[in-house]
Amino acid sequence: MPFSKQLEKIFQGKLWSFFGGIKPLERKSTSHSPIEELPIPSLITLPLDRHLGDGGQLLVRVGEHVKAGQPLTIPGGKRNVPLHASTSGEIIGIGMQVLPHPSGFLGRCITIKPDGLDEKVPDEPMADWQQRDPKEILERIRAFGVEGLGGAQFQTAAKIGAALEESTGDCNIFIVNGAECEPVATCDDRLMQERAAEIAQGIEVVRHILKPKAIIVAIEDNKPNAIKAMKEAVAEDVMVREIPTLYPSGAARNLIKICTGIEIPYNEHTSECGIVVDNVETVFAIKQAVIDGIPLIKRVITVDGQTLGKNGNALVRLGTSVRFVLNCFKLNPERRQRIILGGPFMGFTLPSIDVPITKSATCVYVPSYKELEEKPEAMNCIRCGRCARVCPSRLVPYQLYALSRAGMHKKTSSCGMMDCTECGCCSYVCPSRITLTAQFRKEKAILRLLDDNQRRNQRAQERIAARNERLAKEEEQRQKRREAAKARAAAQKEAEANMSPEEIEKKRAEAVAAARERAAAKRAALAQKNATANNAQGNQDNSNLVTQANTNNASNMAITGIKGLKANNLEAANAHDKANAFMAQSKDGLLVAAMMAQGGTSAMLKDKHLNLANKEQASNLNGHEQLLNEPQEKLPYSLRKAAIDKHAPAINQWRVFDKHEPDMSKVENPPAEGVYIPQSRPKTKSYLYAPEEDAKEKAKLPQALKKKTLDN
């Protein structure tokens, strides 16, 4: 069917249905509760896992004071957004904290101690957004931290940008998701009732970016007040559709099928097909970021449950702990109280209530056991097929469950495990009370880990292949050099075969002379380089000394002394260089180096005597006191007052230690003469001594002790 006819049906208001789905109890008791802004909590914890990425960096440190709306990170990659402070205060920690996840794992977080003033950075409204380029507006949306607030938390600017850049044609349809099919949650409903005009402004901003052919606001028919408010606020060409109440109609692919009749393949993104779906609260955040210039630092959540003193909808700052929210709603917990973050289907039980509210949190559900009974122990699967009949992704959950429990991860992937949306329909209808959704979440985590390991192995194999290629190339070059050397040797041998012994000797002498000339040229170049550097340093020192001295004689003598000093230092350096060369080339390198080092030592001694002589001569000149009173750090080390010899004196004779007999006069109760004192040794087991050693030890004993030992 041509798309033009399909678009015509959409304009006529036709609705389609998706495969599967269930109709659970709605439990929308808070739909009439107005949004209440909670006070500033005592601590703010902001996770960094979605706000850094590869190459991202922190902009703050512990101890700094921040204001509300101040950016805290520079994100890396296109899929991340910056993190903003949700209130003013002092950063008291950047470390690992418990994250809102069913496993309770840790992640890096920024902890802020609010000061209660709630100071914020100045707003940056974009008054001329209608004249701005779409890419500039998308950059503004990303810079102000706007992400999907419906639960998936996908980066909004990347999603809209994909519809502009990666789609085959222009954007065809923009759908505002106001279905809110999750039971208990009513935050989107209340937002549409109270902020419909601002949501309509956000729709106009997205219209300016995408220029879609059709704009649809999809709302379930159990929200009449929201439907009425949106119809009054939006423009005439924006279609407000009342869709049937069926879970999970709020999923992007299911909503597209309901509103357009188009099924998006699971291997493609919806925005790449020219259809963009955004939650109503995300559209409201776009309006605040572009028109008002306010970053995303707050969101609306639903707090409900029979164990609460009151329930309703709350506007909370991101990073507020679940414990603080429950205290504000007067929790009266039962024994083994369950706290569910999210709805009863898509949510999960928190391992701890000291976790922060993030952008993906839509609801905090605190049910009693009468309201939500604890599931009994799971039984074996009976293959009834109910899970397959309600799966909106058209999967076979009982088959995936069996493969997952058997550890057949490749087969679960080929059977479409990654296409599961974790909606929870299969677990809801299972007569055996099997937690299928929990098992699928675990299996998807395993598959992601296996894919990551496979990518790591592939990169390692690529590095090994590159290394082997490099080694093969180097070996090929070495082989070529060896062959060239063999060819030269063969040519030389062939040439020498036709030459007389005198000619051969003459040729060899010429080769030795040429080698010596090359070595001498290298030494001369090196000496010239060292001399140039020493002369430059010497000239600088000389100029300092000349300006400091009062008389020409004193300055000339100082310059002469420094030149001699440099010459002696150069002599010592050459001696040490020769020693190092001999150590590397000669077999007896250490001995030769020790002999060569004597030249360096003698040069240093000359240097010392020369310095002393120069000091004595300078002391007899006029202005000597001024020269010596100059700052010591400006003078060479040898001319300073506290100059000492850095080298230890030579050892001419080794110390001889005399052996003395022990002085028994200082021993209390000395033994009488002729009494044998056996040598003490630690007591050990006899089998640790060899028989030969034992016999030698016994032979040293006197005859009387030998006899006594034999008697024993």
Side-chain angles (χ1 to χ4, degrees):
M1 179 183 295
F3 187 79
S4 58
K5 292 185 179 181
Q6 193 77 2
L7 191 61
E8 183 179 354
K9 291 183 179 181
I10 293 172
F11 282 118
Q12 291 175 358
K14 183 178 179 180
L15 297 177
W16 288 262
S17 61
F18 62 92
F19 180 83
I22 57 176
K23 291 185 177 182
L25 294 176
E26 297 176 6
R27 306 189 184 191
K28 303 285 187 177
S29 60
T30 57
S31 60
H32 301 289
S33 302
I35 298 175
E36 172 190 356
E37 184 172 1
L38 297 186
I40 302 174
S42 58
L43 282 180
I44 292 289
T45 304
L46 299 171
L48 293 171
D49 57 342
R50 285 182 174 268
H51 302 89
L52 280 179
D54 297 336
Q57 69 181 87
L58 289 170
L59 297 178
V60 292
R61 295 180 180 178
V62 176
E64 292 188 15
H65 185 273
V66 295
K67 296 182 179 181
Q70 178 179 338
L72 306 178
T73 63
I74 297 177
K78 296 182 179 180
R79 300 292 184 181
N80 298 297
V81 297
L83 180 65
H84 298 82
S86 54
T87 188
S88 61
E90 181 185 357
I91 297 178
I92 61 173
I94 301 176
M96 306 299 287
Q97 300 285 343
V98 180
L99 296 183
H101 192 271
S103 65
F105 71 95
L106 304 178
R108 280 205 301 168
C109 299
I110 297 177
T111 304
I112 301 176
K113 178 67 175 177
D115 56 8
L117 302 176
D118 200 22
E119 299 176 347
K120 64 177 183 177
V121 297
D123 298 337
E124 301 177 9
M126 186 182 287
D128 57 341
W129 61 270
Q130 296 178 347
Q131 286 76 35
R132 296 294 185 95
D133 185 70
K135 292 185 178 179
E136 188 176 354
I137 299 177
L138 287 177
E139 187 61 31
R140 161 66 74 96
I141 292 173
R142 184 195 178 199
F144 278 59
V146 180
E147 290 183 296
L149 300 178
Q153 200 177 339
F154 195 83
Q155 209 245 78
T156 304
K159 180 191 291 187
I160 298 176
L164 293 176
E165 300 175 359
E166 301 179 10
S167 60
T168 55
D170 297 332
C171 178
N172 296 303
I173 300 172
F174 173 56
I175 300 177
V176 181
N177 186 356
E180 199 172 29
C181 59
E182 180 78 19
V184 179
T186 60
C187 53
D188 293 348
D189 186 3
R190 288 306 307 180
L191 190 67
M192 287 186 287
Q193 294 181 39
E194 299 181 16
R195 305 291 181 90
E198 298 183 56
I199 295 173
Q201 290 179 327
I203 293 174
E204 295 303 319
V205 174
V206 179
R207 185 206 293 268
H208 175 70
I209 300 173
L210 292 175
K211 298 178 176 59
K213 299 176 182 177
I215 300 177
I216 302 173
V217 180
I219 308 174
E220 283 189 342
D221 54 12
N222 62 349
K223 304 174 181 61
N225 296 331
I227 294 172
K228 180 181 178 181
M230 291 302 299
K231 284 184 177 180
E232 294 175 355
V234 298
E236 296 181 356
D237 57 344
V238 177
M239 297 174 286
V240 179
R241 291 284 182 265
E242 301 179 29
I243 63 176
T245 302
L246 183 67
Y247 181 84
S249 60
R253 285 179 170 81
N254 298 339
L255 193 61
I256 292 173
K257 179 63 185 297
I258 293 172
C259 297
T260 66
I262 300 172
E263 292 191 13
I264 305 297
Y266 280 96
N267 58 355
E268 295 183 9
H269 292 291
T270 58
S271 56
E272 296 175 359
C273 300
I275 302 176
V276 177
V277 181
D278 273 329
N279 183 264
V280 289
E281 195 163 355
T282 306
V283 177
F284 175 73
I286 291 174
K287 180 263 176 184
Q288 286 191 316
V290 177
I291 299 178
D292 300 335
I294 302 174
L296 180 57
I297 59 176
K298 300 178 183 179
R299 72 151 299 147
V300 181
I301 63 171
T302 300
V303 185
D304 194 6
Q306 292 183 356
T307 57
L308 294 172
K310 64 175 184 176
N311 52 23
N313 298 283
L315 179 65
V316 300
R317 291 168 173 80
L318 298 179
T320 303
S321 67
V322 176
R323 181 187 295 275
F324 181 81
V325 174
L326 296 178
N327 289 337
C328 292
F329 283 85
K330 301 178 182 179
L331 172 65
N332 184 18
E334 295 180 343
R335 182 175 177 271
R336 298 177 61 189
Q337 177 67 62
R338 287 173 293 176
I339 309 296
I340 299 175
L341 186 63
F345 281 89
M346 298 290 290
F348 55 88
T349 302
L350 288 174
S352 171
I353 60 175
D354 293 316
V355 296
I357 297 293
T358 60
K359 298 175 184 178
S360 61
T362 58
C363 177
V364 177
Y365 187 36
V366 191
S368 63
Y369 279 97
K370 293 181 180 179
E371 186 179 7
L372 188 65
E373 296 181 359
E374 188 175 3
K375 285 188 176 182
E377 186 177 355
M379 297 180 290
N380 293 332
C381 177
I382 60 175
R383 301 279 179 133
C384 63
R386 293 184 186 180
C387 55
R389 288 195 291 270
V390 300
C391 179
S393 300
R394 298 185 180 182
L395 302 176
V396 186
Y398 65 85
Q399 181 185 10
L400 294 174
Y401 178 78
L403 295 174
S404 175
R405 291 298 299 270
M408 306 173 72
H409 305 299
K410 290 185 178 180
K411 286 191 176 182
T412 58
S413 179
S414 62
C415 291
M417 175 60 74
M418 300 306 294
D419 298 337
C420 174
T421 59
E422 302 176 12
C423 63
C425 293
C426 52
S427 299
Y428 182 77
V429 301
C430 180
S432 298
R433 303 300 181 187
I434 301 174
T435 55
L436 297 169
T437 306
Q439 182 65 29
F440 295 161
R441 285 175 179 167
K442 178 181 177 182
E443 182 65 23
K444 290 171 74 172
I446 293 174
L447 291 178
R448 293 190 189 98
L449 180 61
L450 293 177
D451 291 342
D452 183 59
N453 292 338
Q454 185 176 359
R455 286 192 295 270
R456 291 173 181 267
N457 293 337
Q458 185 176 359
R459 288 196 294 268
Q461 291 176 2
E462 291 175 357
R463 291 195 299 269
I464 292 173
R467 177 179 179 274
N468 293 336
E469 183 178 357
R470 176 175 55 82
L471 293 178
K473 189 178 295 185
E474 293 177 356
E475 181 62 27
E476 183 179 357
Q477 293 176 357
R478 286 195 293 269
Q479 184 65 24
K480 288 181 180 179
R481 289 195 295 268
R482 285 195 292 266
E483 292 177 357
K486 289 181 181 179
R488 290 194 300 270
Q492 183 179 1
K493 186 179 293 186
E494 184 178 358
E496 290 179 355
N498 300 326
M499 297 172 62
S500 61
E502 294 79 6
E503 294 175 347
I504 294 174
E505 187 66 25
K506 182 180 179 181
K507 187 175 181 180
R508 292 180 178 176
E510 291 176 355
V512 171
R516 289 178 177 175
E517 290 179 0
R518 289 194 298 270
K522 288 183 180 180
R523 288 194 297 270
L526 180 61
Q528 184 178 3
K529 182 178 179 181
N530 294 335
T532 303
N534 292 330
N535 288 335
Q537 184 67 26
N539 292 334
Q540 184 177 0
D541 295 338
N542 294 342
S543 62
N544 294 334
L545 289 175
V546 168
T547 57
Q548 293 170 2
N550 291 331
T551 60
N552 295 331
N553 293 332
S555 61
N556 292 333
M557 298 189 79
I559 293 170
T560 305
I562 291 176
K563 286 184 178 180
L565 175 71
K566 296 298 179 183
N568 290 329
N569 287 340
L570 180 62
E571 181 181 353
N574 292 336
H576 286 297
D577 292 340
K578 291 179 182 179
N580 292 333
F582 275 102
M583 289 177 67
Q585 297 177 3
S586 176
K587 292 183 179 179
D588 299 329
L590 294 175
L591 179 60
V592 177
M595 296 172 64
M596 295 297 298
Q598 295 298 324
T601 304
S602 61
M604 293 173 187
L605 293 175
K606 290 180 184 178
D607 183 11
K608 180 179 178 182
H609 294 312
L610 180 61
N611 291 336
L612 294 175
N614 290 338
K615 287 183 180 179
E616 292 176 359
Q617 293 176 3
S619 63
N620 299 325
L621 297 174
N622 295 330
H624 168 66
E625 292 79 9
Q626 183 178 358
L627 181 63
L628 295 181
N629 291 333
E630 290 295 326
Q632 297 294 305
E633 60 272 8
K634 293 184 178 180
L635 297 176
Y637 181 82
S638 58
L639 296 180
R640 296 180 187 177
K641 295 179 180 180
I644 59 174
D645 190 12
K646 294 183 180 180
H647 299 274
I651 299 176
N652 298 324
Q653 184 178 2
W654 291 101
R655 181 180 177 184
V656 178
F657 296 94
D658 298 332
K659 294 184 179 180
H660 300 282
E661 294 294 332
D663 188 5
M664 303 302 295
S665 61
K666 298 181 180 180
V667 179
E668 186 178 2
N669 298 325
E673 295 183 1
V675 177
Y676 172 74
I677 303 176
Q679 184 179 3
S680 62
R681 63 181 180 184
K683 295 181 179 180
T684 55
K685 297 183 179 180
S686 59
Y687 59 81
L688 295 179
Y689 289 92
E692 296 81 3
E693 297 179 358
D694 194 18
K696 292 180 181 179
E697 292 293 332
K698 290 181 179 180
K700 298 178 182 179
L701 297 176
Q703 191 67 26
L705 292 179
K706 285 183 183 180
K707 188 174 182 181
K708 186 177 180 181
T709 304
L710 293 175
D711 295 338
N712 293 338

